mmCIF file of all heavy atoms in Angstrom:
data_model
loop_
_atom_site.group_PDB
_atom_site.id
_atom_site.type_symbol
_atom_site.label_atom_id
_atom_site.label_comp_id
_atom_site.label_asym_id
_atom_site.label_seq_id
_atom_site.Cartn_x
_atom_site.Cartn_y
_atom_site.Cartn_z
ATOM 1 N N LEU B 70 -6.888 -2.658 31.370
ATOM 2 C CA LEU B 70 -7.641 -3.361 30.322
ATOM 3 C C LEU B 70 -8.485 -4.481 30.920
ATOM 4 O O LEU B 70 -9.654 -4.670 30.564
ATOM 5 C CB LEU B 70 -6.676 -3.921 29.273
ATOM 6 C CG LEU B 70 -7.310 -4.622 28.071
ATOM 7 C CD1 LEU B 70 -8.217 -3.652 27.321
ATOM 8 C CD2 LEU B 70 -6.238 -5.162 27.131
ATOM 9 N N VAL B 71 -7.902 -5.215 31.859
ATOM 10 C CA VAL B 71 -8.628 -6.292 32.538
ATOM 11 C C VAL B 71 -9.785 -5.718 33.354
ATOM 12 O O VAL B 71 -10.898 -6.251 33.349
ATOM 13 C CB VAL B 71 -7.662 -7.087 33.445
ATOM 14 C CG1 VAL B 71 -8.432 -8.132 34.268
ATOM 15 C CG2 VAL B 71 -6.586 -7.765 32.612
ATOM 16 N N GLN B 72 -9.514 -4.612 34.047
ATOM 17 C CA GLN B 72 -10.570 -3.983 34.856
ATOM 18 C C GLN B 72 -11.733 -3.510 33.977
ATOM 19 O O GLN B 72 -12.903 -3.658 34.348
ATOM 20 C CB GLN B 72 -9.974 -2.797 35.619
ATOM 21 C CG GLN B 72 -8.904 -3.188 36.633
ATOM 22 C CD GLN B 72 -8.061 -2.017 37.084
ATOM 23 O OE1 GLN B 72 -8.335 -0.870 36.742
ATOM 24 N NE2 GLN B 72 -7.016 -2.301 37.855
ATOM 25 N N LEU B 73 -11.401 -2.939 32.821
ATOM 26 C CA LEU B 73 -12.425 -2.476 31.884
ATOM 27 C C LEU B 73 -13.346 -3.623 31.459
ATOM 28 O O LEU B 73 -14.580 -3.509 31.485
ATOM 29 C CB LEU B 73 -11.757 -1.880 30.649
ATOM 30 C CG LEU B 73 -11.584 -0.372 30.569
ATOM 31 C CD1 LEU B 73 -10.663 -0.021 29.410
ATOM 32 C CD2 LEU B 73 -12.925 0.323 30.390
ATOM 33 N N VAL B 74 -12.733 -4.713 31.059
ATOM 34 C CA VAL B 74 -13.510 -5.856 30.555
ATOM 35 C C VAL B 74 -14.352 -6.468 31.666
ATOM 36 O O VAL B 74 -15.519 -6.836 31.458
ATOM 37 C CB VAL B 74 -12.557 -6.911 29.932
ATOM 38 C CG1 VAL B 74 -13.335 -8.160 29.533
ATOM 39 C CG2 VAL B 74 -11.832 -6.330 28.722
ATOM 40 N N ILE B 75 -13.766 -6.569 32.881
ATOM 41 C CA ILE B 75 -14.523 -7.152 34.006
ATOM 42 C C ILE B 75 -15.729 -6.296 34.350
ATOM 43 O O ILE B 75 -16.838 -6.802 34.572
ATOM 44 C CB ILE B 75 -13.596 -7.320 35.237
ATOM 45 C CG1 ILE B 75 -12.593 -8.452 34.983
ATOM 46 C CG2 ILE B 75 -14.418 -7.609 36.494
ATOM 47 C CD1 ILE B 75 -11.591 -8.653 36.098
ATOM 48 N N ILE B 76 -15.524 -4.962 34.381
ATOM 49 C CA ILE B 76 -16.645 -4.070 34.715
ATOM 50 C C ILE B 76 -17.726 -4.137 33.639
ATOM 51 O O ILE B 76 -18.924 -4.203 33.944
ATOM 52 C CB ILE B 76 -16.125 -2.627 34.887
ATOM 53 C CG1 ILE B 76 -15.370 -2.504 36.211
ATOM 54 C CG2 ILE B 76 -17.271 -1.611 34.832
ATOM 55 C CD1 ILE B 76 -14.727 -1.162 36.439
ATOM 56 N N TYR B 77 -17.323 -4.155 32.384
ATOM 57 C CA TYR B 77 -18.298 -4.121 31.282
ATOM 58 C C TYR B 77 -19.059 -5.439 31.133
ATOM 59 O O TYR B 77 -20.250 -5.455 30.845
ATOM 60 C CB TYR B 77 -17.589 -3.769 29.971
ATOM 61 C CG TYR B 77 -18.525 -3.587 28.806
ATOM 62 C CD1 TYR B 77 -19.493 -2.591 28.818
ATOM 63 C CD2 TYR B 77 -18.442 -4.416 27.688
ATOM 64 C CE1 TYR B 77 -20.366 -2.422 27.756
ATOM 65 C CE2 TYR B 77 -19.307 -4.253 26.614
ATOM 66 C CZ TYR B 77 -20.264 -3.256 26.653
ATOM 67 O OH TYR B 77 -21.119 -3.091 25.598
ATOM 68 N N THR B 78 -18.348 -6.547 31.339
ATOM 69 C CA THR B 78 -18.991 -7.848 31.126
ATOM 70 C C THR B 78 -19.377 -8.555 32.430
ATOM 71 O O THR B 78 -20.238 -9.434 32.419
ATOM 72 C CB THR B 78 -18.052 -8.792 30.334
ATOM 73 O OG1 THR B 78 -16.854 -9.003 31.109
ATOM 74 C CG2 THR B 78 -17.682 -8.200 28.994
ATOM 75 N N GLY B 79 -18.727 -8.166 33.537
ATOM 76 C CA GLY B 79 -18.977 -8.872 34.794
ATOM 77 C C GLY B 79 -20.138 -8.311 35.594
ATOM 78 O O GLY B 79 -20.896 -9.062 36.202
ATOM 79 N N LEU B 80 -20.276 -6.958 35.596
ATOM 80 C CA LEU B 80 -21.349 -6.362 36.389
ATOM 81 C C LEU B 80 -22.741 -6.823 35.962
ATOM 82 O O LEU B 80 -23.617 -7.012 36.816
ATOM 83 C CB LEU B 80 -21.246 -4.829 36.350
ATOM 84 C CG LEU B 80 -20.071 -4.218 37.131
ATOM 85 C CD1 LEU B 80 -20.115 -2.690 37.066
ATOM 86 C CD2 LEU B 80 -20.085 -4.676 38.587
ATOM 87 N N PRO B 81 -23.003 -7.008 34.642
ATOM 88 C CA PRO B 81 -24.338 -7.524 34.259
ATOM 89 C C PRO B 81 -24.649 -8.875 34.886
ATOM 90 O O PRO B 81 -25.821 -9.206 35.098
ATOM 91 C CB PRO B 81 -24.238 -7.622 32.729
ATOM 92 C CG PRO B 81 -23.243 -6.574 32.358
ATOM 93 C CD PRO B 81 -22.234 -6.584 33.467
ATOM 94 N N GLN B 82 -23.605 -9.687 35.202
ATOM 95 C CA GLN B 82 -23.840 -10.973 35.866
ATOM 96 C C GLN B 82 -24.401 -10.777 37.267
ATOM 97 O O GLN B 82 -25.046 -11.672 37.832
ATOM 98 C CB GLN B 82 -22.515 -11.761 35.961
ATOM 99 C CG GLN B 82 -21.783 -11.944 34.644
ATOM 100 C CD GLN B 82 -22.548 -12.809 33.661
ATOM 101 O OE1 GLN B 82 -23.213 -13.750 34.065
ATOM 102 N NE2 GLN B 82 -22.475 -12.472 32.388
#
Side-chain angles (χ1 to χ4, degrees):
L70 183 60
V71 175
Q72 296 164 7
L73 263 169
V74 174
I75 289 177
I76 286 176
Y77 185 62
T78 62
L80 289 182
Q82 306 294 325

